Amino acid sequence: MPDVKIFSFALRNVLRNRHRSLVTVLAMAFAGIIMIVFAALMDGFLDATERHAVIMNTGDVQIHAPGYMNDPDLYTYVDNTYELLSLLEKNGFYASPRLYGFALAAAGKSSAGVKLRGISINRENTVTEISRHVMLGAWLESGDTRGVVIGKKLARTLGVKVGDEIVIVGQASDGSMANDLYRVKGILKTVGDEIDQAGFFMLDTAFRELMVFPKGVHEIAIMRSNRDTDLELAKQRIEEIAGDYEIKDWQDLQPVIARILDLADAQKVIMILITYVAVATVILNAVLMSVFERIHEFGVMKALGVGPWFLVRLIFTELFIMIFAASIVALACGWFIAYRLELNGIDLSSIATGASFGGVAIDPVWPAKVTPGALFLPVLFLILIGFLAAVYPAVKAAVIQPVRAIYYR
Amino acid sequence: MTGAIVTMENVTKLYEQGKIEVRAVDNLTLTIQKGDFAALCGPSGSGKTTVLNLMGGLDLPTEGTIHIEQQNLSELSRSQISNMRRDRIGFVFQSYNLIPVMTAYENAEFVLKLQGVPEKQCHERVMNILAEVGLQGLEHRRPDELSGGQQQRVAIARAIVTRPAIVLADEPTANVDSVTADALLDLMQELNRVERTTFLFSTHDQRVMDRARRLIRLRDGRLEQDEVRA
C-alpha cells in the first residue's frame, strides 16, 4: 500500500470543485432526509395501525370456546371464567371477559341489526382504550344498566343522539323474547367497520339480564402487561393456561392487518430503493464528470507509477467523504423533522376523519416514529447506492491506458 | 548491454486512426546509455513522443522488444511495468502536469510516498531536491501559485527525486520563455553532470538540441541520424 495520505488527497479533490461537490452532497442529503422522514412516518403509521388493531378492541390474544369463531352462537361459551381470569392475572396478563349476542335495535322509525357487547368496564379498561374513544357523551358507568355506548354509523342509521332511547329486541338464551329499552350514553369515534356499524356496548350485568345468560363468557380478551415481551411466547403461555379453548392472537384475528404490517418493511425498502435510483444517477453523473475531467491527471499519475487500486481507492474515498457529509446532514435534519412529527404528527383531520385501514380506524393525526431503522436504513442505502454508482467511474479510471489518459482531451 | 539503460530492437508501433493504419515507429533500433544527455528530434509526426512513451512503458510496441535495465517490457505484467515506471523512470511533460491540489513539496514527495520511503528520509530528499532546482521557500505553494518555469522545476524535481535510471522529458521547454528554458536546461545539465542522471528529450527546441551531447534524429518513425557529440 502506498504511503500517500489518501484521505487528505481525496478531501482536496472534493473541495477542488466546491459547487459540484456541494450540489452532489445536498442532493444526497435531501434524498436521505426525505427517506428518513418517510421511513419514520411509515413506522409511525404502522405502529399506530397495530396499536389501533390491538388496543381498540382485539387485545393481544383472545380465548373462545371451541367453534365459537366459526359460528358465534350464544350457547358456545367459556365456562370456567373466573378460574381462567385468576390464572391469567397471576401470569402477568390483563384480561377482560366479554359477552356477545345479536339483536334488533330500533329508534323511532329506524332499525338496525346490532351486536350486543356486554363488558366488565373495570377489566375492559385494563385491556383496551375504547373507553377513551368516545366522540359524543360518555363511556359506560358501573351501575348504569340502562346506559349504552354505540358505534358512530349505527347512531347515524338509527338517527339517535346522546340521551335518546333505543329499543332492543332479540332472543334470550332461554328462548324467551329479550326486550328492553336503553338510553344512548355515548357515541364512539371511528373504531373499525364492525363496531362502527353494529357496536352496542353495555354492562355485562345488563347483558346477562337481557339475554338471560347467567354464567360463562363468549370471549376473553388479553393484553400483555409489557408490550415489549414476545407475542408468540405470551400466546404459548396462555395456551398452557387455557388449553381446552381456542387461543388466537391478534394476527390470527386480523390477518389482513398482520399481512400488511409484515409487508410494510419490504414496501419501505422498495420505496427507498426507487428514490435512491434517482439519487444514484445524480451521484453517477457527478462522479463521472469528476473522473472524466481528471482523466489526463490520472494518466500522469499512472505514468508516475500509481497503480489501478490507488485510483479506485482515491475515487471511493472522495465519494465516501461526500456521502459521509450527506449522511450527517441527512441524519441531523431527518431526525429533527421526524422528531417534530413524532411529537406533533401531521394533522389530517380536515381530510381523513373517520378513515379506516383494513377495518381498523386511523387516527387523523398521523404521527412519525423515530426508530433506529427509520434513521439508519436510509443512510445505509445511501452509502450502498453511492458506492454502487461509483463502481463504473472508478473502474474506468483504473483500467485506462496511461498513454491514452495522458493524451485524453 | 553494459551501460545501456534502454534498448529498443526492431521496434514498430502501429496506430489505427479511424480506418487508416499509422506507422508511428518503424523498425527502430536504439540504445540509450547511462549518463546520456540526448535529444530526440525531428519534424512533427516523426515518432518522437511515441518513442518516449514506448521507452517509458506507457505504451507497448506492436513489434520488436524494449529492454529497460535489461528487463524485457513485454514480459512484464501491467503492475510490474507500473512499478518500473515508479522506481526507475522519471517523466517531465510539456505542460508540467503537476497534481493541482498538491503543493510543490507534495508533488515532489508523491512518488517517494508511492515507493513507501520513510517520512524522515522523504522529507530530507524532497527538501534537497527542491533546493537543487531552486525552489527554496516555495515548497508550500500550489501549482496555480507558481510560474510556468517554477512549475517545470517542480516537475523536474518530481522526476529526479527518486533517482531514476532515466528521465524522459517531452518538450520540457515548450511552454516556458527563453530565459526560463535556459535555466531549466542548465539545471538538467548540472544534474546530468553531477548525478549522472540520464536524460532523453523529445524536442523541437534548437537550444535543447544545441546542448544535447547526443542527437537522435527521426523521420517517419525511422532513425535518420544518431550523432554523439564531444
Side-chain angles (χ1 to χ4, degrees):
Chain A
M1 283 285 176
D3 187 26
V4 175
K5 289 169 185 159
I6 204 158
F7 184 82
S8 158
F9 188 13
L11 181 62
R12 290 185 209 182
N13 280 330
V14 169
L15 296 176
R16 187 167 163 184
N17 195 330
R18 284 163 204 253
H19 286 108
R20 188 176 54 219
S21 298
L22 186 66
V23 168
T24 310
V25 167
L26 288 180
M28 290 192 282
F30 185 64
I33 292 167
I34 289 176
M35 283 301 99
I36 286 172
V37 172
F38 167 76
L41 283 171
M42 277 288 282
D43 284 351
F45 176 75
L46 297 170
D47 188 57
T49 305
E50 183 179 337
R51 276 190 78 240
H52 270 251
V54 172
I55 64 170
M56 280 303 156
N57 180 44
T58 311
D60 286 328
V61 179
Q62 291 184 353
I63 298 175
H64 300 98
Y68 182 82
M69 290 300 287
N70 293 332
D71 179 17
D73 188 278
L74 188 66
Y75 305 102
T76 309
Y77 56 85
V78 176
D79 202 3
N80 51 339
T81 316
Y82 294 105
E83 185 190 336
L84 273 178
L85 290 175
S86 169
L87 276 170
L88 288 166
E89 281 168 0
K90 275 182 192 164
N91 280 276
F93 296 106
Y94 298 118
S96 176
R98 293 168 176 173
L99 297 155
Y100 293 129
F102 296 93
L104 185 70
K109 291 179 181 174
S110 303
S111 63
V114 296
K115 184 174 182 180
L116 306 174
R117 293 165 175 264
I119 57 168
S120 157
I121 52 172
N122 290 335
R123 286 184 178 276
E124 189 66 27
N125 286 345
T126 65
V127 172
T128 69
E129 291 181 6
I130 192 133
S131 63
R132 287 189 250 156
H133 213 61
V134 177
M135 179 175 70
L136 296 168
W139 183 241
L140 302 172
E141 274 176 43
S142 300
D144 183 5
T145 55
R146 295 290 154 200
V148 293
V149 174
I150 63 174
K152 183 179 172 181
K153 288 181 185 168
L154 177 61
R156 201 183 306 148
T157 306
L158 294 175
V160 294
K161 54 188 185 300
V162 174
D164 288 352
E165 290 181 330
I166 298 176
V167 175
I168 288 290
V169 181
Q171 187 180 354
S173 68
D174 62 355
S176 65
M177 179 179 282
N179 183 322
D180 219 329
L181 188 67
Y182 297 93
R183 186 175 32 79
V184 177
K185 188 170 176 61
I187 297 171
L188 293 168
K189 295 179 195 169
T190 300
V191 177
D193 292 341
E194 190 188 339
I195 291 178
D196 290 353
Q197 288 169 8
F200 195 94
F201 289 84
M202 59 203 305
L203 293 182
D204 52 354
T205 48
F207 181 96
R208 289 190 192 283
E209 189 183 330
L210 174 71
M211 302 301 281
V212 194
F213 193 80
K215 63 167 189 169
V217 295
H218 297 107
E219 179 176 289
I220 298 175
I222 300 161
M223 191 70 94
R224 288 166 289 173
S225 55
N226 178 2
R227 303 235 349 108
D228 292 331
T229 56
D230 185 68
L231 179 64
E232 197 54 39
L233 283 178
K235 188 181 171 188
Q236 282 173 14
R237 183 74 197 107
I238 293 164
E239 279 168 350
E240 286 165 19
I241 295 168
D244 295 340
Y245 297 105
E246 274 183 7
I247 317 289
K248 290 189 185 294
D249 62 33
W250 74 267
Q251 291 170 340
D252 302 326
L253 296 161
Q254 303 205 55
V256 175
I257 293 291
R259 187 85 184 119
I260 289 168
L261 296 179
D262 278 348
L263 292 173
D265 280 340
Q267 288 170 352
K268 197 164 63 182
V269 169
I270 290 167
M271 273 302 293
I272 289 173
L273 278 176
I274 289 170
T275 306
Y276 279 159
V277 166
V279 179
T281 59
V282 174
I283 299 171
L284 178 65
N285 185 43
V287 179
L288 264 181
M289 281 171 68
S290 155
V291 166
F292 277 114
E293 75 181 15
R294 288 187 291 160
I295 284 282
H296 173 73
E297 193 176 310
F298 291 150
V300 171
M301 286 165 69
K302 284 193 157 187
L304 296 176
V306 163
W309 281 112
F310 181 91
L311 293 180
V312 170
R313 282 172 58 215
L314 180 67
I315 290 165
F316 274 96
T317 308
E318 288 171 13
L319 189 68
F320 169 79
I321 290 167
M322 289 196 284
I323 291 178
F324 182 76
S327 300
I328 296 290
V329 174
L331 272 174
C333 297
W335 171 82
F336 178 75
I337 296 168
Y339 179 67
R340 299 298 303 175
L341 291 175
E342 187 176 67
L343 292 181
N344 304 314
I346 301 172
D347 190 352
L348 301 172
S349 53
S350 60
I351 54 170
T353 302
S356 66
F357 174 69
V360 175
I362 296 172
D363 195 325
V365 177
W366 182 354
K369 187 179 181 192
V370 182
T371 61
L375 286 177
F376 293 107
L377 193 67
V379 173
L380 191 71
F381 273 93
L382 182 63
I383 294 168
L384 193 71
I385 294 286
F387 281 126
L388 278 177
V391 168
Y392 171 67
V395 169
K396 179 91 184 159
V399 301
I400 194 163
Q401 295 273 358
V403 72
R404 280 177 184 273
I406 288 171
Y407 300 104
Y408 180 87
R409 288 286 183 273
Chain B
M1 288 196 286
T2 313
I5 300 286
V6 184
T7 308
M8 298 177 88
E9 288 173 42
N10 307 112
V11 168
T12 296
K13 179 66 188 179
L14 302 175
Y15 286 116
E16 282 185 5
Q17 280 186 343
K19 290 179 180 173
I20 302 165
E21 194 175 69
V22 177
R23 191 170 285 265
V25 176
D26 189 4
N27 198 30
L28 180 69
T29 297
L30 183 65
T31 301
I32 304 298
Q33 301 289 344
K34 175 144 183 71
D36 267 354
F37 194 74
L40 268 174
C41 56
S44 291
S46 59
K48 302 185 296 291
T49 300
T50 306
V51 168
L52 231 54
N53 290 338
L54 290 167
M55 283 190 174
L58 296 176
D59 209 352
L60 291 172
T62 313
E63 286 172 24
T65 56
I66 300 172
H67 287 83
I68 298 178
E69 293 189 315
Q70 300 179 25
Q71 279 194 288
N72 188 344
L73 279 190
S74 55
E75 288 173 359
L76 299 180
S77 67
R78 275 189 185 192
S79 155
Q80 286 170 318
I81 293 175
S82 175
N83 289 346
M84 170 168 282
R85 281 199 299 270
R86 184 190 66 192
D87 298 336
R88 304 304 299 150
I89 300 169
F91 287 94
V92 178
F93 301 95
Q94 180 178 335
S95 46
Y96 330 129
N97 288 332
L98 300 177
I99 297 170
V101 294
M102 290 184 173
T103 62
Y105 179 92
E106 288 166 334
N107 265 288
E109 181 195 38
F110 186 68
V111 186
L112 289 178
K113 288 283 191 186
L114 289 176
Q115 288 180 335
V117 175
E119 183 67 41
K120 195 178 167 190
Q121 204 179 326
C122 228
H123 180 73
E124 203 176 304
R125 277 166 71 174
V126 172
M127 291 309 282
N128 285 343
I129 216 78
L130 288 176
E132 221 170 311
V133 299
L135 289 173
Q136 303 101 314
L138 303 177
E139 299 91 350
H140 301 297
R141 291 205 186 169
R142 291 202 179 174
D144 58 0
E145 297 166 332
L146 296 169
S147 69
Q150 287 169 331
Q151 287 188 57
Q152 196 61 301
R153 282 168 190 266
V154 177
I156 292 169
R158 181 178 67 186
I160 61 175
V161 74
T162 56
R163 296 184 189 127
I166 185 168
V167 174
L168 302 170
D170 188 10
E171 306 271 10
T173 55
N175 283 347
V176 293
D177 60 63
S178 58
V179 176
T180 308
D182 280 334
L184 290 171
L185 286 169
D186 287 345
L187 171 67
M188 288 189 275
Q189 261 185 326
E190 185 68 5
L191 289 166
N192 173 254
R193 190 180 62 78
V194 177
E195 309 270 347
R196 292 252 306 145
T197 309
T198 307
F199 281 89
L200 177 64
F201 307 97
S202 93
T203 188
H204 282 106
D205 189 338
Q206 191 58 47
R207 282 166 305 199
V208 179
M209 289 186 249
D210 290 345
R211 295 212 193 193
R213 288 203 307 276
R214 183 179 171 193
L215 198 61
I216 302 160
R217 195 175 293 279
L218 299 177
R219 179 174 291 277
D220 298 330
R222 294 194 201 103
L223 184 64
E224 190 180 62
Q225 183 191 4
D226 187 355
E227 177 194 351
V228 179
R229 297 160 173 180

